[in-house]
Structure formats: structure tokens, C-alpha cells
Amino acid sequence: MTEASTIAVGAETSAPAGHDEARSLTSDAWRSLKKNPIFWVSMALIVAFLLMAVWPSLFTNVDPAEAVLKQARERPSANAWFGRDIQGYDIYSRTIYGARASILVGVFASIATVLIGGAMGVIAGYYGGWLDAVVSRVTDIFFAIPLLLGGILFMATFPNDVDSPYLLVVGKVVLVLSIFGWPGLARLMRSSVLQVKPNDYVQAARALGATPWRIIRAHVLPNALAPMIVVATINLGVFISVEATLSFLGIGLTPPAISWGVAISDAIVALRTTPHILLFPSLFLSLAVLAFIMLGDAVRDAFDPKSR
Amino acid sequence: MYKYILRRLLQMIPVLLGSTFIIFAMVFALPGDPTAGMCGERPCAPAFVAKFKQEHNLNDPLPTRYAKYMGNLAQGDLGTTFRDIKVADELKQRYPTTAKLAGMAIIFETLIGVIAGVMAGIRKGKFMDNLVLVSTLFVIAIPIFVIGATLQYYLGVKWGLRPVTVSPQATVNELLLPAFVLGSTSVAYVARLTRTNLVENLRADYLRTAIAKGLTRRRAIGLHALRNSLIPVVTFIGADFGGLLGGAIVTERIFNIQGVGGYLFTGIHNRDGVSVVGTVTVLVLVFLLVNLLVDLLYGVLDPRISHD
């Protein structure tokens, strides 16, 4: 995610720079990141998937909703690159159009969990006392419900109709992933805030009479954000995977929404005779998950002085 | 020590109450009429519907119903489903199967994960290290249901090496493949985590001392470095337990295992709220107890951590 890395980068530059020769942690991290081929591979993949999500027509001019039943289960050929699925849809076109759902779910669920988890973590870590006790228990409550379990319950409670608008269907999946996905980030944020809080510059700011809001915004957040951003990037891949699992169980995204999870779910029955129907959506799904996990790994290594 | 356990058990109570209430509220908001289809082709008689609603407390407001339910639960009564089967009986039959499945998955992830992590960690940057890093990335990226369906097809159907599905007796032999599938993602995480921590500890002063005083490399790594590297791994396995329970829903569906996960899924589909809440309550309780156990294990691995 470009946003994720720029947030981390932007946040770190506001940290006071040392004397002339010393580089800031950010420019140091960026230098080692630039040399890491894994970073460039994952960025290339992510850019490709983002393009697919925004302009699928850039990659294909075949209508993904056009079913040619006569050619159902056709193997890959010149006029249908990835072959056709059980309904006779063009798999290449379906796979390209399927990127949108996964990317939307991943990006928005990640943003929402960062906002909720970050806010909860800062409140618990910075204010401490009874507020910490309450927020930590609430976090524990949501942490005790496994993500997939909560997702299944929620989606069964609010099922989709065939004519539900696309954004509502996607929005519901984003909502459930956000509700059950934030506690991990909140715990992480709380511990990084606890590490930053006793530092001299925070105490100095407090002694100078800065308001809590200013201290958090100007001193605590920039120095406590990096670990959460790294985990959020990795989570983005995890969310895409959970969305596919929910769709596989028949309750996440549902047809007519086009998604990799739905495509995989439909393809499993045909695994024995025409495995290519399963191969392509799984391949794209795995590549997307892989790209975000690799990016998170690369950014973490760059920010971790011990890894050099 | 006992004080610590007691305090943790007391802290568990609000968490358990909170998470079960969330689940209770979601499940009983499930749309649909539980009496539908109970009286054959015709709708049920109003007298029957009234009696049914009375018996299952369906007329009470949500908090009252929840309080009544928890009151019964405290006396060890998990409730009776809408189909007049005691949830406790059903769980007693199914729990051993899922416990066996999850237990075997944990054995897989600990054994294979730690061994792979150690092999990678002691040869950092060499072939073995890269092999483990790349292969674990791929395992993480491929969704569990694709791994499951593919292995089931090739190992079970095509080559006949493993049983395709699991009988109600669920023997260890039959569960080998499903447990491997269920644990596969965690194996990858455990391997990477072990590697990272081992690499860090291999540079520690205490290890240099151990080698300097004449310990063999094998003993120094096995006794000192590995033991210290295992704390984050144990933490992960505890937190991952919830994920395993969620993953069990998918695995049990693929391999037709008569366990808790499959029961939960049918419960949600049949709008049978009582069985869902009962099952999830037990799952959450198990999850919390496992994490308490993990915290107690820290003291064994690192004597500096004490709970007095």
C-alpha cells in the first residue's frame, strides 16, 4: 500500500533529526528499502492489482457477465486466455474484475481497523488508569471472538439479497472485518504508546503545558505509529484472505458480485475434471495476499535496526 | 502464583460475559422464523407457536433472555435446541473430534514449525534459510480452503494415498491430512517467528559466553538460544488457537468431519440460535483458558518472569 508507507514515512520525518552526519530513522529505512528487491516486487504487484481494481477495462474488453453456456468449462485458448468456467463466463475477465472486491475489502477494512485500533490503543496507553482498564477489557472481549467465527455469525445475521447493491454487500464485509479485526492493533498501539510515553521529550512537552491532544498528535503518534502500520499492511493481506473464506462458505460476497472467493467456491466442484477453473482465481488471490505480506515484511525489516 | 491464577480467572468473567452477549445479540437477531418447517407442509398452529415461543423465552426482551440463559449456563445447562436436543449432549459427542483435530494441528505447527525455523535460523542467509522463508510465504498466501480442496483431490481422490473424508469415528489416521491442512498457515508463521527470534538470540552476549566457556554449539543453541526464542512462539500459538477454531469450520466442511465447526455452521444455517450460542460460549471459554495456560508457560520458559 502506498498510503501505508507514506504515512509511516511522513510520520517519522517529523521526529527531530540528529546532527549532520546521522540520518533520521526514516531516511535510513528508505535507503535500505530501496535496495530490497522484495519491496519492488511487492510494489509492482500491488500497483497492478490497484489498476485492475480501478480500471478493469484496461486489461480486458470482455464483459465478465457474459455467459457462453455452449463453451462452459472450456480449457484455456486464444479467445479465452484462462478458459471458461462452469457458467461459461470468461475466467480471465472474471479474475480481472474480481480484484476490485478484494482490494476494496482489504483497503477499507485496514483503514477502519487502524483508526479504531489506533484510537483505542492511544486512549488506553496514554491516559492509563481506569480508562485503560475499561478499554483493555473491551479489547479483550472482541479479541476473544475469532475473526472468522465473528464474520460467519455477522454475515448469517445480515444476509445478502440477490439484488443488494454492490457497495452494500462489500460494505457489510468491511464492517464485520473492522468490528472483529481491531483488537490486535489496539493492543499493539497501547504497548508502543507505553514505550514512548516516559521519554524525556514527552515529559518536556507536558512540563511546557502542552495539551494532551497536542502531545499525542505531535510527539506520541509519530513515534508509536510504525509497528502498527507494518502489522496493518500484513493484515490487509489477511483480510483479503478472510473475505475469500467467507465467500467460499457462501456468506461473504454473494453472486452477482464478482470476487475471487466466489469464483473459487464455484470452482471447487469442478476440481476433478477442469482444475483450471480453480487455478486462476486462487493464483490471483494468493498473489495479492503475498504482495501485501511481502510489503509489510520489507517495511518492518527496513525499520528494524537489528535486522541490518 | 495461585493469587495470579485467581486474578486472571476473575478477569475472565467480564470478558466471557461481554463476548457471549455480543454473540447472543447477533444470533438472536438472525432473521427467519424458527418454527418454519417444523409442522410439515402447513404453517404451525398458533397455539403451538405460542407454546414454542414461551418455552424458548422468545417473547422476552433481549437482556432478560440473556440473563435467563446465563443463569442456566452457570448451572451447567447449555440449553436445548429448537429441535429439542440438548446442546451439551451434542457437544459431548462432537468436542472430542474437534479437540483431536485442533490438537493434532497444534502438534504439527509446533514440531514442523520449530524445526523449520531452527534450520533456517542457524544458517541465516544460506539456501535452507531462503527455502524456508519463500515456502512459508507461499503457504501463508494460499487460502486454507484451496490448500484443503487441492490436497484432498490429489492425495485422496487421484492417488488414493489418504482417506478422502473422515468417518464419524474420526480415527487419528483419517485426521492426519485435515489436521495438516488446518495447521498449515500456522506452521508457516511459527517457522518464521522461530527463525527471527533465534537469529536475534544467536547474537546475544549470553550465547557467546556459553560457547566461550566450552559448550558445544548444539548444546548452546538447543539449551540457551532456543529456549529464549520460544516465548513469542508460545504466545503466537496461544493467540492462534482462536484462528484454529475458526479454520476448523472450513476444514470440517471440506473433509466432512462431524465436529464442532460443522455443527456451528449448520446451526447458523438452520437459525438454531441456542446451539450456536452454546457452542461459541464453550469455544470462547476454551480460548481464554488456553491463553491463561500460555501466560503460565512463560514462567517455565523464562524463570525471570514470575507471577508472584
Side-chain angles (χ1 to χ4, degrees):
Chain A
M1 256 318 296
T2 40
E3 291 156 29
S5 50
T6 46
I7 290 172
V9 169
E12 289 292 339
T13 37
S14 56
H19 52 87
D20 291 340
E21 282 181 346
R23 294 189 303 263
S24 75
L25 179 61
T26 318
S27 67
D28 223 21
W30 173 237
R31 278 169 72 102
S32 78
L33 210 52
K34 268 197 299 195
K35 276 183 270 173
N36 190 348
I38 291 179
F39 169 72
W40 292 109
V41 171
S42 59
M43 279 312 282
L45 279 172
I46 289 168
V47 169
F49 283 121
L50 283 180
L51 275 179
M52 267 179 222
V54 181
W55 290 296
S57 48
L58 215 61
F59 294 83
T60 174
N61 50 18
V62 181
D63 180 6
E66 184 199 4
V68 187
L69 260 182
K70 211 165 63 180
Q71 295 168 359
R73 296 183 174 221
E74 208 179 58
R75 286 181 187 273
S77 65
N79 60 5
W81 290 357
F82 289 178
R84 287 182 184 277
D85 70 3
I86 306 165
Q87 305 284 346
Y89 292 125
D90 183 293
I91 296 176
Y92 176 67
S93 165
R94 297 281 281 186
T95 309
I96 297 289
Y97 276 85
R100 181 175 291 169
S102 294
I103 297 290
L104 276 179
V105 167
V107 169
F108 283 103
S110 290
I111 293 175
T113 49
V114 163
L115 291 180
I116 306 173
M120 290 292 200
V122 168
I123 291 172
Y126 186 80
Y127 290 100
W130 66 270
L131 212 52
D132 180 22
V134 171
V135 171
S136 293
R137 287 295 87 71
V138 173
T139 312
D140 284 350
I141 289 173
F142 282 89
F143 196 78
I145 305 173
L147 182 60
L148 194 57
L149 198 64
I152 292 173
L153 277 174
F154 184 92
M155 293 310 290
T157 308
F158 306 103
N160 300 319
D161 287 331
V162 182
D163 49 354
S164 300
Y166 181 74
L167 281 181
L168 181 72
V169 175
V170 172
K172 266 196 279 196
V173 178
V174 170
L175 185 67
V176 65
L177 291 179
S178 317
I179 293 177
F180 294 106
W182 64 268
L185 292 183
R187 285 185 171 186
L188 188 67
M189 194 63 190
R190 177 175 173 273
S191 67
S192 5
V193 169
L194 283 179
Q195 271 174 16
V196 171
K197 208 179 136 192
N199 281 343
D200 288 342
Y201 55 85
V202 177
Q203 300 306 326
R206 186 181 292 159
L208 286 171
T211 58
W213 167 239
R214 192 187 150 77
I215 298 176
I216 289 173
R217 194 171 44 87
H219 300 288
V220 175
L221 266 189
N223 293 296
L225 212 54
M228 188 177 67
I229 295 301
V230 168
V231 175
T233 315
I234 295 175
N235 272 357
L236 211 158
V238 175
F239 288 145
I240 291 179
S241 187
V242 172
E243 177 271 308
T245 311
L246 287 176
S247 304
F248 165 73
L249 290 171
I251 49 178
L253 300 176
T254 41
I258 302 170
S259 105
W260 295 329
V262 173
I264 293 170
S265 171
D266 288 345
I268 293 242
V269 291
L271 177 63
R272 282 161 205 195
T273 44
T274 43
H276 71 272
I277 303 179
L278 177 67
L279 173 67
F280 292 106
S282 330
L283 185 72
F284 273 59
L285 174 64
S286 304
L287 278 179
V289 176
L290 192 66
F292 287 107
I293 292 179
M294 286 199 310
L295 178 67
D297 266 4
V299 173
R300 175 175 43 207
D301 285 349
F303 273 98
D304 181 8
K306 276 183 282 186
S307 72
R308 278 174 225 140
Chain B
M1 181 75 170
Y2 291 108
K3 244 183 175 168
Y4 173 77
I5 297 180
L6 192 70
R7 205 180 69 224
R8 285 291 304 265
L9 286 174
L10 286 178
Q11 273 182 355
M12 239 182 236
I13 294 173
V15 173
L16 192 67
L17 284 178
S19 45
T20 45
F21 182 74
I22 293 174
I23 289 160
F24 196 86
M26 269 194 331
V27 166
F28 286 103
L30 276 179
D33 176 11
T35 59
M38 275 183 126
C39 312
E41 292 289 305
R42 64 204 158 81
C44 287
F48 175 77
V49 173
K51 181 167 168 277
F52 185 86
K53 287 197 166 166
Q54 185 64 37
E55 267 175 13
H56 291 98
N57 301 329
L58 292 182
N59 295 322
D60 297 333
L62 185 69
T64 321
R65 276 164 73 190
Y66 179 69
K68 280 186 184 170
Y69 180 80
M70 286 319 269
N72 288 337
L73 188 72
Q75 299 164 29
D77 179 12
L78 282 170
T80 311
T81 68
F82 292 156
R83 274 154 224 280
D84 227 10
I85 302 167
K86 276 206 176 311
V87 175
D89 290 347
E90 191 83 29
L91 285 186
K92 230 178 277 165
Q93 233 174 35
R94 289 166 176 270
Y95 235 96
T97 310
T98 302
K100 222 191 281 178
L101 181 70
M104 284 167 68
I106 288 183
I107 293 174
F108 268 127
E109 70 177 83
T110 324
L111 270 184
I112 306 179
V114 170
I115 291 174
V118 169
M119 285 192 345
I122 55 177
R123 297 188 191 85
K124 188 183 179 230
K126 301 276 169 55
F127 171 75
M128 197 60 206
D129 186 26
N130 288 323
L131 181 74
V132 168
L133 280 183
V134 171
S135 57
T136 48
L137 252 189
F138 277 97
V139 173
I140 292 172
I142 303 173
I144 184 170
F145 51 95
V146 173
I147 298 181
T150 315
L151 285 184
Q152 183 190 37
Y153 172 60
Y154 281 104
L155 295 181
V157 179
K158 204 165 182 187
W159 300 329
L161 297 174
R162 306 282 342 143
V164 181
T165 54
V166 176
S167 67
Q169 285 78 34
T171 59
V172 172
N173 183 37
E174 285 171 334
L175 284 177
L176 273 180
L177 181 60
F180 181 75
V181 170
L182 179 59
S184 55
T185 322
S186 313
V187 166
Y189 278 114
V190 168
R192 293 175 76 94
L193 209 55
T194 310
R195 175 196 170 271
T196 315
N197 286 295
L198 189 63
V199 166
E200 219 163 84
N201 279 318
L202 283 180
R203 277 193 304 222
D205 289 339
Y206 67 81
L207 200 77
R208 198 179 305 128
T209 313
I211 291 176
K213 77 173 183 188
L215 248 58
T216 57
R217 199 173 139 76
R218 194 192 187 87
R219 207 172 149 74
I221 292 176
L223 200 68
H224 296 279
L226 186 59
R227 189 165 151 187
N228 278 295
S229 312
L230 282 184
I231 289 183
V233 176
V234 170
T235 314
F236 170 79
I237 292 177
D240 183 53
F241 196 74
L244 278 188
L245 297 176
I249 300 177
V250 178
T251 323
E252 291 187 0
R253 249 172 95 74
I254 294 176
F255 292 97
N256 189 32
I257 302 170
Q258 304 299 317
V260 175
Y263 181 58
L264 198 59
F265 197 75
T266 25
I268 294 171
H269 257 228
N270 294 339
R271 315 256 173 269
D272 197 344
V274 183
S275 66
V276 175
V277 174
T279 316
V280 174
T281 308
V282 179
L283 286 184
V284 170
L285 192 63
V286 171
F287 180 56
L288 292 174
L289 285 176
V290 165
N291 276 295
L292 174 62
L293 208 66
V294 164
D295 283 359
L296 294 178
L297 252 179
Y298 288 165
V300 179
L301 284 171
D302 187 344
R304 284 172 303 181
I305 303 173
S306 77
H307 297 299
D308 293 326

